[in-house]
Amino acid sequence: MKWANMATNEAFARVTIDALLKDAGWNLSDGRSVRFEYGLSDGTIADYVLCDRHGRSMAVIEAKKATIAPTEAEGQAIHYATLLDVSFVFLANGREIWFKDREREAHPREVKTFFSQMDLERRVALRQMRVDPLTIPIDTRIAGRDYQKACIDVLCQEIGQGRRKLLVEMATGTGKTRMAVAFIKRLFQANRINRVLFLVDRIELAGQAEDAFTEHLPDYPTYVLRAGRRFQDEKRITITTLQSMVNIYGQYSSGYFDLVISDECHRSIYGKWSGVLKHFDGIQLGLTATPCIVPPEVLEKITDEEDRLFVRDTLRFFELDRPTYRYTLKEAIADGYLVRYQIYHAMTVRTAAEEGFEVKSGELDWMAMDPETLAEFEELFGEEDTILVDPNALERRFTIPERNRAMVREFRKVEEEGFIGTDGRRRAPMLKGKTIVFAVNKRHAETLARMFDEHYADRKPSPEIRYADFVVSGTGGEDTLDGPSKIRRFKQESFPRILVSVNMLDTGFDCPEVVNLVMARFTRSAILYQQMRGRGTRRADHIHKALFTIFDFVGVTRFHGDNEEQPQGGFVVSSSPRTGPVQSRKLLMMDVNDHIDPSSRGWVILDEDGNETMTEAGEVRTQELGMCFEEWFLDQAVDADQSRLLQQVGEQIRVNAATLERFERYRFVQPPFSYQGGIHYAERLFGGMLPLEEVLQRMNAQVFC
């Protein structure tokens, strides 16, 4: 996109720089915080000197006109900083801002904003007190395993060499969070950081992280940032989700956080919503259990586009060709930190071959179909008795009641009697433990939970106890309102013994007592499959857990080529399609997103005590429009003034989300835009009425879709 070139000389650039300083909270008129055209001892003049609240110099800003790259002023700015005996320099031209610690960094780096006065004061203080983190002992009470200590040392070595983007791949259940807590403590004690942002996939995981930080780092105040709230400046560790951050991060200086950790966040945080991470200048650390190293020949054969994008966007964001540190599933099982697994290929399985599986007309529950689906199936069957069905369509588009009942019966039979493995030996699942069932949607989950509960009625201490229950997180409308309490009971109490899940337990859920995973949901995503499998890997010595069993009722283990004898934990090439003849001539296809995406999570609002409350429709729409605006905004090539105006537009969209259907040009004649030159200013920034209208049309098409 090509924008009008407005600021072409240094005077225009300084007007913009003044505005950007105000945006970062600087007082330009108190005569103490910002000094303009400041004379130096050798007769030269620094464009700007930024000072602390007592008037002491902290940083230099060298301004250039928009047609000159800010980095060309590096030598000049370093000369001024040396004369003032300050370490920090900013280079700016009204469109870009670059930052450098002249004594510790070889090259400047681009930042999104000037640092606020408070943030710059913190940076100065940290710089004066910091020591080499490698000289600080690792707290082995938090992370005492050899690979955890090795990982922390590697990360500290990388930071010492000037690297600011780090990626750790550790298998699910090996203690990524505890490693991160010990790493953070070491950096705190070395005075390398003062504030931390810890991003998680969903709000339920924020509570788990808060418990870990509160237990192991009681001296460093921690809180969970809820949707619609502001940062608590007095706290040292902020835990939150992408959804909670996306609408407020632009209100804070790029220097607010010194360390940003993204824990198992969806790949979108490294792709279309990476603005949250890119905004803050802190060291970036990504934590993942999903392998990021994929041989080219395997990458070419990955059928799931989201998986391919995960590999591309994650490594691209961290500017790496491989993770900074790896500890794989295979290593963890060999070292005894995780338990091995066995796979039961169910007799009732529907083969997940590429061409689909056969379904007979008499197997379907025609009464449960909506009119549109009913008409589609009638047309597909025609005069025939059998059609081919995409595995993803099962339970989403139609249900086979007898299949679900057979699944429940077969599970109990195998649980009690065991099964013959692929090696010809009899195997037995563990009886003392919990079971997670992965279902397709709420209706499917509720059906399976009821069937399991009825089938295990003889094991219940009293009729009102639920042996099996279900929990759902989807688009919000089907969420189980008491989901967190159900999960808590599953983990801490004797009942329920079986929990059927839709999107709630497949990532970040920690319950070592899980000994069975029931795959009643098919997915083509290798990432999601590995996340689901990871729910069973944790040790539980108190129940003598030696292994866990995967009950595959949908053919997903074969589709992903999973080998219980050699668990790699990495991407695999999908198994070859079935070669036998297929008699049916029709195929029902289903395009389904099988991924855990923050934008598709149900929005959750909690009160001051952390109790879940109902989400108002207006709050939901504010979050949704904010995410859409963020995705659109990150694709725009704009200068600083245009960026500021568009960010104000985004803020007005969020404020008026409940009633706004599109953002019209006339709104520029109203406050707050009228205070800044109104519509004439907006048109001048973008080169006229028509270019401005084109920008708004493109924005409206993407934001209000």
Side-chain angles (χ1 to χ4, degrees), residues 203 206-207 210 222-226 229 232 237-241:
I203 200 68
E210 184 180 28
T222 301
Y223 74 105
V224 175
L225 176 69
R226 314 294 181 184
R229 309 289 174 82
Q232 297 180 26
I237 302 172
T238 301
I239 305 171
T240 191
T241 62

Side-chain angles (χ1 to χ4, degrees), residues 102-371:
R102 65 180 178 88
E103 295 175 324
R104 296 181 183 269
E105 296 170 344
H107 300 281
R109 61 181 178 272
E110 189 172 7
V111 294
K112 295 299 181 182
T113 74
F114 290 111
F115 301 166
S116 71
Q117 189 175 49
M118 290 293 293
D119 292 338
L120 201 53
E121 286 182 10
R122 286 191 308 103
R123 292 278 179 116
V124 170
L126 284 173
R127 194 184 184 287
Q128 293 171 346
M129 298 184 294
R130 66 197 250 179
V131 298
D132 184 354
L134 290 169
T135 65
I136 305 295
I138 296 171
D139 190 337
T140 55
R141 294 169 300 177
I142 303 174
R145 296 175 178 176
D146 289 343
Y147 63 88
Q148 292 173 325
K149 294 184 289 185
C151 178
I152 294 170
D153 281 341
V154 168
L155 295 178
C156 291
Q157 290 167 4
E158 293 289 303
I159 291 173
Q161 295 169 6
R163 294 187 175 89
R164 299 180 59 80
K165 290 188 175 183
L166 312 165
L167 179 63
V168 170
E169 175 196 323
M170 277 189 180
T172 298
T174 54
K176 290 189 300 297
T177 302
R178 292 179 73 100
M179 182 281 298
V181 172
F183 172 62
I184 289 170
K185 182 175 183 178
R186 197 185 211 188
L187 293 187
F188 271 138
Q189 292 178 330
N191 292 308
R192 290 299 302 261
I193 61 173
N194 181 262
R195 280 202 193 117
V196 178
L197 173 63
F198 195 85
L199 281 171
V200 296
D201 185 30
R202 58 183 187 271
I203 200 68
E204 292 86 0
L205 304 185
Q208 292 183 24
E210 184 180 28
D211 291 343
F213 282 111
T214 302
E215 177 185 357
H216 299 299
L217 300 181
D219 297 331
Y220 302 96
T222 301
Y223 74 105
V224 175
L225 176 69
R226 314 294 181 184
R229 309 289 174 82
R230 294 182 61 83
F231 293 154
Q232 297 180 26
D233 295 343
E234 71 279 8
K235 300 294 180 69
R236 304 288 291 277
I237 302 172
T238 301
I239 305 171
T240 191
T241 62
L242 176 66
Q243 301 98 310
S244 298
M245 283 292 295
V246 77
N247 286 325
I248 66 168
Y249 75 88
Q251 302 171 23
Y252 294 88
S253 149
S254 290
Y256 191 86
F257 291 111
D258 309 305
L259 173 66
V260 179
I261 299 179
S262 50
D263 182 18
E264 289 293 8
C265 289
H266 184 265
R267 72 150 193 95
S268 293
I269 199 168
Y270 306 127
K272 58 186 177 183
W273 292 314
S274 60
V276 174
L277 297 182
K278 292 178 179 178
H279 179 80
F280 296 108
D281 182 57
I283 295 166
Q284 301 280 350
L285 171 60
L287 305 177
T288 183
T290 304
C292 300
I293 301 178
V294 182
E297 64 273 14
V298 174
L299 185 61
E300 291 178 1
K301 296 179 182 179
I302 293 177
T303 59
D304 191 278
E305 183 63 18
E306 289 284 320
D307 287 358
R308 293 167 61 90
L309 291 175
F310 171 85
V311 175
R312 185 201 69 183
D313 288 346
T314 302
L315 292 176
R316 179 183 294 176
F317 176 84
F318 288 101
E319 300 171 5
L320 298 168
D321 59 1
R322 60 184 56 247
T324 311
Y325 186 88
R326 296 185 76 203
Y327 188 67
T328 66
L329 176 66
K330 186 176 182 179
E331 291 174 299
I333 292 176
D335 293 342
Y337 292 116
L338 297 180
V339 299
R340 62 186 179 86
Y341 59 92
Q342 59 187 7
I343 300 173
Y344 171 66
H345 299 283
M347 300 298 293
T348 57
V349 67
R350 289 290 185 174
T351 304
E354 289 293 331
E355 76 276 12
F357 61 82
E358 296 181 5
V359 171
K360 295 184 180 300
S361 174
E363 294 180 302
L364 302 182
D365 185 352
W366 294 86
M367 299 296 294
M369 296 182 188
D370 58 61

Side-chain angles (χ1 to χ4, degrees), residues 561-632:
D562 198 354
N563 184 348
E564 62 191 40
E565 301 301 326
Q566 295 180 330
Q568 298 296 325
F571 283 90
V572 293
V573 180
S574 301
S575 58
S576 301
R578 191 172 37 159
T579 57
V582 179
Q583 301 299 323
S584 307
R585 60 179 174 82
K586 300 178 181 178
L587 175 62
L588 174 69
M589 297 300 293
M590 185 72 175
D591 182 16
V592 175
N593 179 7
D594 278 323
H595 299 265
I596 304 305
D597 188 328
S599 67
S600 68
R601 292 287 186 190
W603 304 111
V604 180
I605 304 297
L606 295 97
D607 60 22
E608 294 289 350
D609 298 321
N611 299 314
E612 185 175 348
T613 61
M614 290 295 291
T615 305
E616 295 295 333
E619 294 173 328
V620 173
R621 184 162 172 78
T622 297
Q623 297 277 9
E624 291 174 343
L625 292 185
M627 297 286 277
C628 291
F629 177 83
E630 180 69 16
E631 182 178 352
W632 172 81

